[in-house]
Structures are given as C-alpha cells and as structure tokens.
Amino acid sequence: MIPVVAAGMLACSGNDTKYVITGKNAPQDGAVVYLVDRIVADDIDSAVVTNGTFEMKGKAAKDAFLSIVVEGSDWNYLLFNDGVPIQINFTDSSVTGSALNNKLTECDKRSSKAYARLDRLVSDFLALPKEEQNSTEDEFVARYQDVYQQFADTEMAIIEENMDNIIPVAFIENVPEVMGYAKFNELVSSDTPFARHPYVVDLKESLEGAMAEELKAEDVKSAVIGQKFLDLEEADTEGNMHKLSEYVGQGKWVLVDFWASWCGPCKAEMPNVRDAYKQYHDKGFDVVGLSFDSEKEPWEKAIIEWQMPWIHLSDLKYWKSVAAGVYSVNSIPDNLLIDPEGIVVARGLRGEALAKKLAEVLD
C-alpha cells in the first residue's frame, strides 16, 4: 500500500462528490465493511452488515480511487467515486454502477484471475515433498516464468486498452515490478487522464527515488551497447587466470553470459543458451560464462549438470565480482552479445530474442 500522507488530504473540498454504496447478500451479519481511500491507505467510512446488506453515504473527492474491504475477507472491490450509486452483490462479486466502474470491475476480475494462476502454481509447488520439488524444479521455474509473463501481459493489456480513461490508475502500481521502471516512467509521464490522477501523481512521487536509481542503472547498462567491450580478468575452474580479451574480439560472435548456480531464472534460461550454442558454434559463435557464484563446488557442479560446454570464468565473489562492477550487473541472468571486432551489439537477450538476434547475424 502507499504510505499514509498528510491527514489534511482527507478534508472535504469544493470538488467533493456524493457517494452512495450499498451491498446485498453479504456472507456475515455483524461484519464491518470499510470504504478505503487508496491514496491515504485509510478508512473514510464504514458500515455494519445487517440482514446481509449495508449502506454508506457521504462525500469524497471527484473520481477518488476507493475500495470496499469486508472484515474477514481478502477481496477488495475497487471503484472510482464518479457520483453514480454503486451496488455490490456478494453472491457473484459484481459491482454495478457507472459504465466506468462496471468496466473497472471486469478488468479487476481479469487481473485477479491471471494472478490467481501464478499464486496457485507456487502454492502447488511448495506443497510437494522436498524430493519432488528438487526433481521438478526446472519444470517449475520454466512454468513460473511463462505464467508470470501471462500476468504481466494481462496487466499491460488492461492499461493499453484504457489509455483514454482512468481505469489504469487501479493497475499502475504493478508496472514497476512486472514491466520495469522505464515503462512505469513512460506511462506516468504521458498526457493521459490516468497519469494526471492524484493517486498516480502520489505514487510517482513516492517511487521517485527508486525509479531514478533504477533508470540510472539501466542507462549505465545501455551505455555499453555500441561500445568496445571492457576487458577483465577472472579464473577458470582450474584456478588459471584468463582475460576476457582472449576470447572476445578475436573474430567470433561471443555471448558473455552473466549467471550463477543459485539463480533459478538462470537455470530456466540456460536451455536457450545451450540451443544457441549447439546451433551456431560451428558458424563462429561462442559463449563465455561469467559466474556470480561464491563457492567453487556448486559452480563446477552446475556447469556439468546444466550441460554448458563453453568457457567458464569466475572470481567467486558473488555480487562483488569484478564483472558486476565493470558491466554494472545488478540482476541475473544478463548477457552481452559482442561482434567479431569486439563491439557490444546487444544486451539482455533471452529466449526468442536471443535466437532471433543470432539468426539475424549468423544465418
């Protein structure tokens, strides 16, 4: 939730709009129903369920982003205070009101359904015996990434379908996590109705520090593209020191792959790297793995078990690795695609993006 702001924001203003919110078929008499202002993350009204019904009347800011929260329930009913009376039917979780709020309800159901698939996948995996978790980990990680991407796509689709109204206000908070701060900054800086909404303005201000730091890091990462690679030196599995320049800029296309044995997403991505290596190695393509491990044994074990028949180097310094400093690596998997002359042409190629780029330059 967004941090609580000054209490004065709760005061009425000339722009306030009346709300009438009723509910029927509520599951528990005596339960308290709260009306929550999402900006201040606090209750602005409440009612007690009697004979399965409740009613709240009052005033709040025009188009304020609100939610109905029922005591003892995890479900939130989202709404905008646009002056049209709202009725909630707890039997089918429907919210009936203005066209805007009806559409918001449908979008919220789509988002919740996509997230429920992700939540169920994790719960089912964690419910397995430890031995079965270990044996199916690769399958789980790959499936998790797929379902997570479906959730991200759903969130983005909802926003893109509603660029002319304020419905994205209800979903913008997820954007930094599922699509990154660059996309969040693009959306909240746009000339759209939702970008001017007080909730989005407040959210943007609260995330300003984190967003600036992330965007700066992304700028630093992107800065290497189009530049000659930076050399570094690390040891192979035998302890022999090697410079990156022994393998890069020597007439081959090289993928410098940042990974670690403890990184689940790296393990899920490795089949894509392995397939690329098998398909293009004979055409002048190589891979140099720079590991962010801190211990030699799991590093060597992963090289064998993950079937990675290419060059491997590491200083076993975890996030203090020289590679992290030289190339501003703050998350893995990450990689650099370097051309035969040693120029970095792409970064962060994963899955289909890696295959497509290699086909472009090598087929």
Side-chain angles (χ1 to χ4, degrees):
M1 279 200 168
I2 304 305
V4 177
V5 296
M9 289 192 69
L10 286 171
C12 292
S13 71
N15 272 358
D16 283 356
T17 298
K18 291 181 180 179
Y19 61 78
V20 178
I21 303 170
T22 57
K24 64 179 183 179
N25 301 322
Q28 183 179 351
D29 279 357
V32 181
V33 179
Y34 299 96
L35 180 62
V36 178
D37 186 303
R38 304 283 291 213
I39 290 184
V40 299
D42 205 357
D43 314 332
I44 59 173
D45 203 349
S46 64
V48 177
V49 176
T50 305
N51 296 325
T53 67
F54 73 87
E55 181 179 75
M56 284 186 280
K57 293 182 178 180
K59 286 186 176 183
K62 177 74 170 71
D63 290 329
F65 181 33
L66 310 174
S67 62
I68 294 289
V69 180
V70 183
E71 183 180 33
S73 171
D74 294 330
W75 188 258
N76 285 342
Y77 297 85
L78 305 179
L79 58 105
F80 293 110
N81 184 38
D82 59 4
V84 177
I86 294 283
Q87 184 177 75
I88 298 171
N89 186 339
F90 289 89
T91 301
D92 58 7
S93 297
S94 64
V95 178
T96 306
S98 64
L100 177 69
N101 278 313
N102 292 345
K103 190 173 184 181
L104 172 62
T105 299
E106 292 308 309
C107 290
D108 189 34
K109 287 181 178 180
R110 281 171 61 191
S111 175
S112 297
K113 184 177 180 180
Y115 185 79
R117 287 197 295 268
L118 189 66
D119 190 51
R120 187 164 56 249
L121 179 67
V122 174
S123 298
D124 290 348
F125 178 74
L126 294 178
L128 297 173
K130 192 65 178 176
E131 298 78 14
E132 194 170 345
Q133 287 184 28
N134 292 336
S135 65
T136 61
E137 183 181 3
D138 287 0
E139 181 184 343
F140 165 73
V141 171
R143 180 64 180 150
Y144 179 87
Q145 287 187 319
D146 182 48
V147 177
Y148 188 87
Q149 188 60 52
Q150 291 175 27
F151 169 65
D153 291 345
T154 299
E155 296 293 284
M156 198 61 226
I158 290 171
I159 291 172
E160 289 178 342
E161 290 165 10
N162 293 281
M163 297 292 281
D164 61 347
N165 60 61
I166 61 174
I167 283 176
V169 170
F171 305 93
I172 198 73
E173 190 172 11
N174 291 331
V175 170
E177 181 179 348
V178 300
M179 282 161 277
Y181 278 103
K183 188 63 179 179
F184 174 78
N185 188 51
E186 175 191 328
L187 290 169
V188 300
S189 301
S190 62
D191 185 24
T192 54
F194 70 84
R196 299 189 294 270
H197 192 279
Y199 179 83
V200 176
V201 173
D202 185 73
L203 178 62
K204 182 180 179 182
E205 290 176 356
S206 70
L207 295 177
E208 205 166 59
M211 181 164 61
E213 186 175 332
E214 179 73 15
L215 292 176
K216 182 179 178 182
E218 289 302 315
D219 286 344
V220 171
K221 282 181 161 185
S222 299
V224 304
I225 298 176
Q227 304 297 316
K228 189 171 179 64
F229 80 96
L230 301 174
D231 209 1
L232 56 83
E233 190 174 31
E234 292 186 342
D236 62 20
T237 55
E238 300 297 323
N240 301 311
M241 299 301 293
H242 292 274
K243 289 186 175 181
L244 192 57
S245 54
E246 294 176 37
Y247 315 105
V248 176
Q250 301 297 323
K252 289 186 175 183
W253 284 88
V254 179
L255 186 76
V256 177
D257 190 38
F258 306 110
W259 70 287
S261 66
W262 45 261
C263 169
C266 298
K267 189 175 184 179
E269 179 62 23
M270 207 54 70
N272 296 319
V273 180
R274 191 165 57 242
D275 289 347
Y277 182 83
K278 288 179 180 178
Q279 183 171 354
Y280 293 108
H281 182 59
D282 291 341
K283 295 184 178 182
F285 173 67
D286 218 335
V287 179
V288 177
L290 299 184
S291 170
F292 280 57
D293 277 279
S294 58
E295 297 179 8
K296 186 177 182 182
E297 185 178 345
W299 173 41
E300 293 181 315
K301 184 179 179 182
I303 291 171
I304 296 169
E305 291 186 350
W306 298 5
Q307 303 174 42
M308 302 155 64
W310 47 81
I311 302 147
H312 291 281
L313 304 175
S314 181
D315 53 14
L316 299 177
K317 291 183 178 179
Y318 197 48
W319 288 111
K320 293 183 179 179
S321 165
V322 64
V326 170
Y327 287 107
S328 300
V329 181
N330 54 16
S331 65
I332 52 176
D334 194 2
N335 57 47
L336 306 170
L337 182 63
I338 304 175
D339 75 8
E341 285 72 45
I343 304 301
V344 180
V345 299
R347 181 164 194 165
L349 296 171
R350 297 171 64 178
E352 291 183 7
L354 175 60
K356 183 178 180 181
K357 188 63 178 180
L358 290 176
E360 177 188 317
V361 300
L362 287 166
D363 278 341

